[in-house]
């Protein structure tokens, strides 16, 4: 009931929730959504989209490092937007919302105001203030807050880390990078309301929502375009044992190559790299507004102190007891507050830490 109707105005205003499936590029892995408004009086046959950003924006990368990225909202003709997602082979799900005339006018006025030049920019947050939560909040405004009221006390199917892991599972470097950089805040228990930072979760929640008279909030629910990409897994993958096997294999190969590459050189190189990564973790935790990078237990694996072991001979002999103790704590802290899933990082990198510490162990003189 969609693309063929563009230009043929409906008898009354219509508002549709549009949900786009994940795409190929890393920033498309979580999917996207928008609100589509069809209003003949206002001449609107546009999608209102909260997911725009601009690499050419002034201080874009500085803002990214600081955790102060500015996104902006915009409206564009529906034909143009759908054509873009069709070209990207991403699925398009459409849900017409069961709103009365007053609710539609309230929502449309809000959306038009949000895309105005003075209001369109907003401070982006990965989980609390993104393209999907803004659509969620707009729908909640239209239904008088009932969406939040009914979902905030319901448990989510997974926390923020669970969803991040399952939606990035097929991109190794993105997956591992996020597992290293995200701290324990993303492991806290989530509500269904929180879970709607994922567009597909918002679409499913809206499909189950009821309006005041007990009718469904969604009148029509249709898949306009099927995805050209594999569906993401429903649960986060269990890959730690694979990472452990690969890391142990690399350690064994490195040990076998010590005839050509001195063990101390390999050990110092790895500890220098791990120390630099740990310094970045401290930077994101303390200096920036990336609150999801705080309380990060991965500092027991990647620690700035490892730089000292890599650089100064006087302290390098202490690497084994210090790194050994940190490794034990890293394993134990998985089950202690604040609570953070670290199994993948531990399996992938603890063997390197322990091997490097052992490589710097003082050798007895013959």
């Amino acid at each position: 009931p969609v693309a063929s109707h563009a230009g043929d105005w409906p008898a009354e205003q219509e508002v549709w929730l549009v949900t786009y499936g994940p795409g190929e590029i890393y920033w498309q892995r979580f999917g996207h959504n928008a609100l589509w408004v069809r209003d003949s009086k206002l001449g609107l046959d546009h999608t209102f989209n909260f997911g725009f950003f601009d690499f050419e924006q002034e201080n874009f990368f500085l803002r990214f490092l600081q955790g102060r990225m500015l996104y902006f909202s915009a409206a564009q003709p529906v034909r143009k937007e759908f054509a873009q997602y069709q070209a990207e082979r991403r699925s398009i799900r459409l849900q017409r919302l069961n709103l009365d005339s007053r609710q539609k006018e309230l929502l449309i006025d809000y959306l038009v105001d949000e895309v105005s030049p003075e209001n369109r920019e907003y401070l982006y947050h990965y989980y609390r203030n993104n393209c999907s939560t803004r659509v969620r909040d707009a729908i909640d405004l239209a239904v008088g807050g009932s969406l939040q009221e009914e979902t905030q006390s319901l448990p989510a199917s997974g926390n923020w880390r669970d969803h991040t892991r399952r939606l990035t599972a097929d991109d190794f470097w993105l997956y591992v990078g996020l597992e290293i950089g995200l701290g324990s805040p993303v492991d806290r228990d989530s509500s269904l309301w929180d879970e709607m930072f994922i567009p597909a979760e918002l679409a499913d929640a809206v499909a189950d929502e009821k309006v005041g008279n007990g009718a469904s909030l969604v009148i029509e629910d249709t898949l306009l375009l099927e995805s050209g990409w594999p569906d993401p897994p429903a649960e986060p993958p269990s890959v730690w044992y694979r990472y452990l096997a690969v890391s142990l294999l690399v350690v064994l190969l490195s040990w076998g190559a010590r005839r050509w590459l001195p063990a101390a050189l390999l050990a110092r190189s790895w500890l220098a790299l791990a120390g630099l990564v740990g310094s970045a973790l401290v930077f994101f935790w303390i200096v920036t507004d990336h609150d999801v990078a705080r309380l990060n237990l991965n500092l027991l694996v990647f620690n700035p102190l490892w730089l000292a072991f890599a650089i100064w001979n006087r302290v390098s002999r202490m690497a084994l007891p210090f790194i050994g103790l940190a490794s034990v704590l890293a394993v134990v802290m998985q089950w202690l507050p604040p609570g953070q899933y670290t199994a993948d990082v531990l399996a992938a990198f603890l063997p390197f830490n322990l091997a490097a510490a052992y490589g710097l162990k003082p050798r007895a003189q013959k």
Side-chain angles (χ1 to χ4, degrees), residues 8-313:
D8 298 330
W9 296 109
E12 57 181 0
Q13 296 168 321
E14 291 181 356
V15 179
W16 298 72
L17 172 61
V18 184
T19 305
Y20 306 109
E24 183 180 20
I25 307 173
Y26 65 89
W27 67 70
Q28 300 172 345
R29 295 302 170 89
F30 291 77
H32 190 43
N33 55 13
L35 286 167
W36 175 27
V37 174
R38 307 186 68 204
D39 187 333
S40 59
K41 293 180 181 178
L42 297 177
L44 287 176
D45 195 12
H46 291 66
T47 51
F48 289 78
N49 188 320
F50 294 89
F52 290 95
F53 63 93
D54 184 4
F55 286 118
E56 302 300 321
Q57 181 187 76
E58 185 178 0
N59 298 322
F60 176 86
F61 288 103
L62 177 60
R63 284 186 169 275
F64 171 76
L65 287 175
Q66 294 173 328
R68 302 169 190 167
M69 286 183 64
L70 287 177
Y71 271 50
F72 63 92
S73 53
Q76 61 180 345
V78 67
R79 283 186 180 274
K80 178 181 179 180
E81 180 154 311
F82 285 180
Q84 173 189 337
Y85 286 93
Q86 183 176 11
E88 294 172 355
R89 300 168 59 205
R90 297 170 65 178
S91 63
I92 303 177
R93 179 182 179 182
L94 301 166
Q95 295 166 291
R96 186 154 69 97
L97 301 181
N98 184 12
L99 304 175
D100 61 32
S101 298
R102 181 190 60 81
Q103 290 172 324
K104 291 175 187 175
E105 290 180 4
L106 175 64
L107 179 55
I108 293 170
D109 287 345
Y110 171 79
L111 293 173
V112 170
D113 188 59
E114 283 293 293
V115 299
S116 63
E118 63 272 18
N119 295 328
R120 69 176 193 158
E121 291 188 334
Y122 68 94
L123 194 60
Y124 181 84
H125 187 281
Y126 307 100
Y127 300 105
R128 285 197 291 267
N129 195 24
N130 68 5
C131 57
S132 187
T133 64
R134 290 231 151 193
V135 171
R136 175 200 67 186
D137 293 347
I139 296 173
D140 188 54
L141 174 69
V143 296
S146 63
L147 181 60
Q148 180 177 11
E149 182 180 353
E150 294 180 16
T151 60
Q152 199 158 35
S153 60
L154 298 177
S157 62
N159 59 34
W160 288 341
R161 186 182 298 276
D162 292 333
H163 285 297
T164 301
R165 290 177 58 219
R166 73 177 183 84
L167 291 169
T168 60
D170 61 348
D171 188 325
F172 173 77
W173 293 111
L174 178 60
Y175 180 90
V176 171
L178 290 173
E179 280 298 274
I180 292 172
L182 292 174
S184 56
V186 300
D187 293 86
R188 68 176 180 83
D189 292 337
S190 298
S191 68
L192 181 54
W193 174 258
D194 298 322
E195 192 174 40
M196 286 185 257
F197 84 96
I198 300 292
E201 300 298 328
L202 173 59
D204 289 342
V206 167
D208 294 334
E209 183 70 10
K210 303 297 182 183
V211 292
N213 58 5
S216 174
L217 178 56
V218 173
I219 302 173
E220 297 180 51
D221 194 334
T222 185
L223 186 64
L224 175 66
L225 184 67
E226 292 188 3
S227 176
W229 308 105
D231 291 333
E235 300 289 338
S238 180
V239 294
W240 67 267
Y241 59 92
R242 300 179 196 170
Y243 291 177
L244 180 61
V246 171
S247 62
L248 290 175
L249 178 61
V250 172
V251 167
L252 289 174
L253 292 175
S254 300
W255 185 258
R258 67 187 186 278
R259 294 182 181 179
W260 303 279
L261 293 172
L265 176 61
L266 291 173
R268 292 180 190 277
S269 298
W270 169 254
L271 292 177
L273 176 60
L276 290 173
V277 173
S279 299
L281 296 184
V282 171
F283 170 79
F284 283 114
W285 179 346
I286 296 177
V287 179
T288 75
D289 291 343
H290 290 283
D291 58 332
V292 293
R294 295 170 188 164
L295 295 173
N296 194 337
L297 297 184
N298 290 323
L299 278 169
L300 292 168
V301 180
F302 297 96
N303 196 295
L305 293 178
W306 298 176
L307 285 169
F309 299 140
I311 296 172
W312 289 301
N313 288 329

